[in-house]
Amino acid sequence: MNTQPELAWNDVPVCDTFAEAFTTVGTRIIVTAVSESWVRIAATEVTGYATSVIACDAEAGVEKFLSPEESPDGRPGVSLMFFAFSRSALEKAVTNRVGQCILTCPTTACYAGIPVTDPEKALALGKQLRFFGDGFQISKKWDDRRLWRIPVMDGEFVCEDRVGSFKGVAGGNLLICATNQSAGLLATEAAVTAMQAVDNVILPFPGGIVRSGSKVGSKYSALKASTNDAYCPTLRAETNSDLPEGTGCVYEIVIDGETFDDVQQAMCNGLQAATQLPGLLQITAGNYGGKLGKHHFHLAEVIAELKRR
């Protein structure tokens, strides 16, 4: 459900609608390595195929890269966030991904980015991966935390025993309508860069951008979601289009975050950055009439927040 533009920012029409997001369970891990290049390789591998829980085991992405001074062991690092529908699903996804993509990656170590304050909400990580050590693994105390030293062929893989979790928010979004692909991509890239400056959020899709926006359901019963035809420029004459005249391209940005305020802050940054570039016809957001999730990010409130800055 979207409405006609009644708002504007930087002379770009903004629809008076809301982005609809849902509650998830999230966690954060810190991965370090001997060099920034190996940190980036590890981050790319462990967050691959993690764009949407519609078909992936988790939604995941880079929160931020860490300097040696910011990381737990004085080496280059990265903060990664993961989201799933349940704690058990999240634990399985993170353990599998760290086991397959971090344990295997040269020189890496893995630490909890969320402290364990409630044992009932903790995710077993090194506690499960330690068995790869085949009895040669060693437990190590680090203040009140427990690490596992797992022997591997370039030395040891150090991994935190458990990592904390939190109730997160997934699915905040902006839809950026532009005259053509070039203008749309430049504006959306600018929005992504501005959003990535916000802590506690990730943009799980490739480069932070979605070109295949979806709607709930399909004419094919086996599919949970299908192409958002109302926002496909090539279908304007064949469907009930929501696009303004002259639209040649639409890109979506999806935001997952630790809190409602974190996601809204990212949306503010993104809308501000995108609307400073030429070729935009409209900014709107995707919702399903309030039936999908309880978290509603009203674009009128996003603009009100920008005015308060």
Side-chain angles (χ1 to χ4, degrees):
M1 178 189 299
N2 287 285
T3 60
Q4 293 300 312
E6 297 178 3
L7 309 167
W9 190 253
N10 289 333
D11 297 323
V12 176
V14 177
C15 288
D16 191 3
T17 185
F18 60 89
E20 187 172 350
F22 45 88
T23 300
T24 57
V25 180
T27 193
R28 176 188 289 107
I29 63 171
I30 307 298
V31 174
T32 68
V34 72
S35 66
E36 184 180 340
S37 63
W38 279 113
V39 166
R40 290 183 178 276
I41 289 169
T44 299
E45 294 293 330
V46 78
T47 60
Y49 189 40
T51 57
S52 171
V53 289
I54 291 174
C56 302
D57 63 353
E59 297 185 5
V62 171
E63 178 191 10
K64 58 183 175 180
F65 288 94
L66 306 174
S67 68
E69 293 74 26
E70 297 171 307
S71 82
D73 59 11
R75 305 191 301 169
V78 63
S79 177
L80 305 166
M81 298 180 75
F82 300 80
F83 296 84
F85 281 131
S86 69
R87 192 168 294 108
S88 60
L90 183 64
E91 180 179 80
K92 181 178 180 180
V94 173
T95 301
N96 285 343
R97 286 170 177 272
V98 171
Q100 292 299 305
C101 304
I102 304 301
L103 170 64
T104 60
C105 183
T107 79
T108 57
C110 184
Y111 304 94
I114 296 288
V116 177
T117 56
D118 182 350
E120 295 297 318
K121 296 180 180 178
L123 310 178
L125 186 55
K127 187 175 183 179
Q128 297 188 63
L129 295 177
R130 64 190 169 109
F131 294 112
F132 182 76
D134 200 30
F136 296 100
Q137 67 271 18
I138 300 172
S139 175
K140 176 182 178 179
K141 290 290 285 184
W142 180 24
D143 296 330
D144 60 345
R145 298 159 69 172
R146 183 177 297 280
L147 304 176
W148 287 97
R149 297 164 58 190
I150 302 170
V152 290
M153 294 190 299
D154 71 349
E156 292 180 327
F157 173 60
V158 175
C159 187
E160 191 123 10
D161 184 60
R162 297 183 300 167
V163 58
S165 68
F166 57 85
K167 282 190 176 181
V169 177
N173 65 81
L174 290 176
L175 287 162
I176 297 172
C177 306
T179 54
N180 56 56
Q181 188 181 89
S182 178
L185 195 56
L186 285 173
T188 311
E189 287 172 339
V192 164
T193 298
M195 289 180 174
Q196 289 173 334
V198 179
D199 287 343
N200 306 320
V201 300
I202 60 167
L203 312 179
F205 284 86
I209 301 175
V210 190
R211 72 168 182 173
S212 59
S214 60
K215 65 178 184 291
V216 174
S218 167
K219 66 183 291 185
Y220 304 106
S221 59
L223 295 183
K224 297 179 182 178
S226 58
T227 190
N228 193 352
D229 54 283
Y231 285 91
C232 292
T234 58
L235 298 180
R236 178 193 298 278
E238 302 177 48
T239 191
N240 185 18
S241 179
D242 284 331
L243 295 177
E245 190 67 32
T247 300
C249 175
V250 180
Y251 285 122
E252 182 178 8
I253 304 174
V254 173
I255 312 107
D256 297 348
E258 192 166 340
T259 69
F260 181 96
D261 288 344
D262 293 327
V263 175
Q264 181 159 289
Q265 181 67 37
M267 291 177 65
C268 287
N269 281 21
L271 194 147
Q272 166 73 359
T275 56
Q276 295 183 62
L277 291 169
L280 296 196
L281 298 175
Q282 177 178 284
I283 289 184
T284 186
N287 69 73
Y288 305 93
K291 298 177 181 179
L292 179 67
K294 68 177 185 179
H295 305 287
H296 299 166
F297 297 92
H298 291 268
L299 298 189
E301 293 178 7
V302 170
I303 288 178
E305 177 61 30
L306 286 172
K307 290 179 178 178
R308 287 192 289 267
R309 289 183 174 183

